[in-house]
Structures are given as C-alpha cells and as structure tokens.
Amino acid sequence: MSTLSSGDMDWLAALLLDVGTAEIMPRFRNLGDGAVQEKTSAADLVTEADVNAERVITDALLQRFDGAVVIGEEAVSENPALLEGWSRAEGLAFVVDPIDGTFNFASGVASFGVMLAVVEAGETVAGIIHDPVGKDWIMAEKGSGAILRRLDGRETALQVAEPAGAINRMIGSASWQYMPEPERSTLARNQALCLGSVAYRCAAQEYRLLAGGHIHFALYNKLMPWDHLAGSLITTEAGGYVRRFDGSVYRPEHTDGGVLATTDIDSWNMVREALWRG
C-alpha cells in the first residue's frame, strides 16, 4: 500500500493545476524567439514552459516530501545518469513530464498534458494526468480505481471500452515513429486493419482516450518512465490490460521493450498478432 494520503493526492492535483495556470498556459501560443529548442530532432522539442514547469514542480515536491527522489524529463535530458537505479530508491519517487506533447504545445495545438507518477518500493502507486486547457485530471491510486476529476470537484469513474472482439472493430493509437525497420513499416501498414486510428503525438491525451473508453488500444515503442507510468496505472485501474511487447509486466525501471495498453487480455493478443503480421 502507498504511504500517500488522500490529502497528498489532492495536493498533487492542485500543484499540477497551479503550474499549468502559472507556467504553461500563459506561454501557450505565446512563445517568443528562442523559447523553443530542438533536443534530438525537429520533432523532439523543449520550451521554456517545459523547463519552468518542471523546476516549480520539482521544488514543490522536495519541499513537501522530505527525502523524495524526483525524476523529471528535462533534468534527465541534461543528466542521463539520474535514471540509474532511481526506482530502487527508499521512500517515494516522483516521475514528472512537465509537458507531454511538447511538439503540439510549441505548434499551438491544444493536445498536451502534465504527467506525474508516484513510485514506492519499485511499484507505481499513483498517477495523475492534468489537462491545462480543460483544467481537469485523470488520476488513480493503485487498487482504488481511476477517476476523471473536474475543476468543480465532480468525479466520474473511468472505465475502458467493452472489448471490440476483432481487430477490424478497434480504434487505436500506434506510435511507430521510434521503431526500427522493418518493424516500423510493418506496424504503419497494418494499422489499416483497424476500424480507425488516432495519432495525437501526446501519450497524456491518448491514455485519456483509452482509460475513458473511447479507443481500444495504445501502443508505444519509446519507453521512458515519465511518458507511461502514470498512464499505464490509470489504464489498469480503469480495467485495462497493459504489458510490454513480449508480454511481461511493465515496471518503473523498464526503458525498452515497448508497451501495449488495451481493454483486456484477449484484445492485447489480437493487436499484438495483427499489427506485427508480416
């Protein structure tokens, strides 16, 4: 069981709201010259909003949770050694993506989110994804189900969709961009077997669609903890089924092997077989 209290979860949600309001939204569609920089490519960006939001979140977490470890995407970009052994730390570890969907954010497209996962004793025990545009959250604690919380305090239980039963009845998201060939072309081609596909370039919003019952699967090859720990827990707590491509359980220390999140185990097997079909 997590040592987090309900008050801690409320505080974390409020922190993400405050950061979205103060650091992210004032810069949305308002980034000045030099406020956007490339990291590894023209599709992998960082903005001053990412950097400032992560700094504020990190400082607040360290003040409230004495001795905690904070793993932020931008901090790791500057110092990759931070990823070494972090999930085995004693006490709480917080994993932060200050703006998931930075390409969209920098392009003025309103599909991005703030993601935070809480890891304790090597297990993901809580996850929150905040939408700064809609000012709401999807969130979960391990073993307690997943909810959509609105700004006025209303909460709705999240539940994945009923299984579609066949690949040609499924709508899903397959992020093949970071896959090596020939796997990349195989998955891109086989997506046509599905009823439909979505490509938000934003795991925060794709996990929201999945956990909310609007799509049937989400597939990712690039496996960094800030991108998937929160969303995979929320999906699982909403009744979904999440595994790495080889069928193994996805854990905080994993940074390879991909992840496939679906409505149930039968759908997982259908997607895994159909999209990799040669």
Side-chain angles (χ1 to χ4, degrees):
M1 292 294 292
S2 168
T3 57
L4 287 177
S5 68
S6 59
D8 288 331
M9 288 294 288
D10 291 342
W11 182 87
L12 291 169
L15 171 63
L16 300 191
L17 173 65
D18 289 346
V19 169
T21 301
E23 302 294 340
I24 296 173
M25 291 308 297
R27 294 180 170 93
F28 182 49
R29 298 177 178 165
N30 194 36
L31 291 168
D33 293 341
V36 183
Q37 298 178 3
E38 291 186 14
K39 290 197 285 189
T40 61
S41 72
D44 184 16
L45 306 178
V46 61
T47 74
E48 63 180 18
D50 296 80
V51 174
N52 288 357
E54 182 171 302
R55 174 181 51 78
V56 172
I57 292 170
T58 299
D59 289 348
L61 289 171
L62 293 176
Q63 286 181 21
R64 182 174 176 94
F65 300 97
D66 186 43
V69 171
V70 180
I71 299 295
E73 178 180 11
E74 306 313 328
V76 172
S77 180
E78 293 295 323
N79 181 12
L82 292 173
L83 275 181
E84 297 175 7
W86 72 270
S87 65
R88 297 189 299 273
E90 294 184 7
L92 294 173
F94 296 89
V95 184
V96 179
D97 191 341
I99 302 179
D100 181 69
T102 297
F103 181 87
N104 295 337
F105 178 82
S107 304
V109 175
S111 179
F112 52 89
V114 187
M115 306 174 79
L116 183 147
V118 187
V119 173
E120 189 169 11
E123 299 285 344
T124 308
V125 297
I128 304 176
I129 299 177
H130 174 57
D131 184 338
V133 177
K135 294 186 183 298
D136 61 11
W137 307 259
I138 61 171
M139 52 199 299
E141 291 183 80
K142 187 175 182 180
S144 298
I147 60 169
L148 166 65
R149 177 183 290 180
R150 295 174 173 84
L151 189 59
D152 63 7
R154 288 180 297 146
E155 294 183 354
T156 305
L158 293 173
Q159 179 65 45
V160 297
E162 289 293 320
I167 194 71
N168 63 0
R169 297 176 184 169
M170 293 187 193
I171 300 171
S173 171
S175 181
W176 41 258
Q177 292 90 335
Y178 297 101
M179 288 184 164
E181 292 288 6
E183 202 173 18
R184 172 187 170 111
S185 294
T186 298
L187 265 77
R189 180 187 70 244
N190 285 342
Q191 266 194 286
L193 299 171
C194 300
L195 175 64
S197 64
V198 297
Y200 281 32
R201 293 187 61 89
C202 176
Q205 296 295 346
E206 289 157 357
Y207 278 119
R208 180 183 179 119
L209 289 174
L210 181 58
H214 306 292
I215 63 175
H216 301 96
F217 68 87
L219 181 158
Y220 303 95
N221 185 64
K222 186 179 179 183
L223 203 59
M224 301 310 291
W226 45 82
D227 288 326
H228 301 296
L229 290 181
S232 62
L233 177 67
I234 293 168
T235 299
T236 300
E237 290 296 321
Y241 185 81
V242 183
R243 292 293 187 275
R244 291 202 293 170
F245 293 163
D246 65 2
S248 63
V249 174
Y250 170 49
R251 296 183 54 81
E253 66 268 22
H254 292 146
T255 56
D256 60 11
V259 68
L260 172 59
T262 63
T263 56
D264 63 301
I265 186 172
D266 290 339
S267 296
W268 193 96
N269 288 323
M270 287 180 197
V271 173
R272 183 66 177 85
E273 193 278 328
L275 294 195
W276 272 262
R277 188 180 299 155

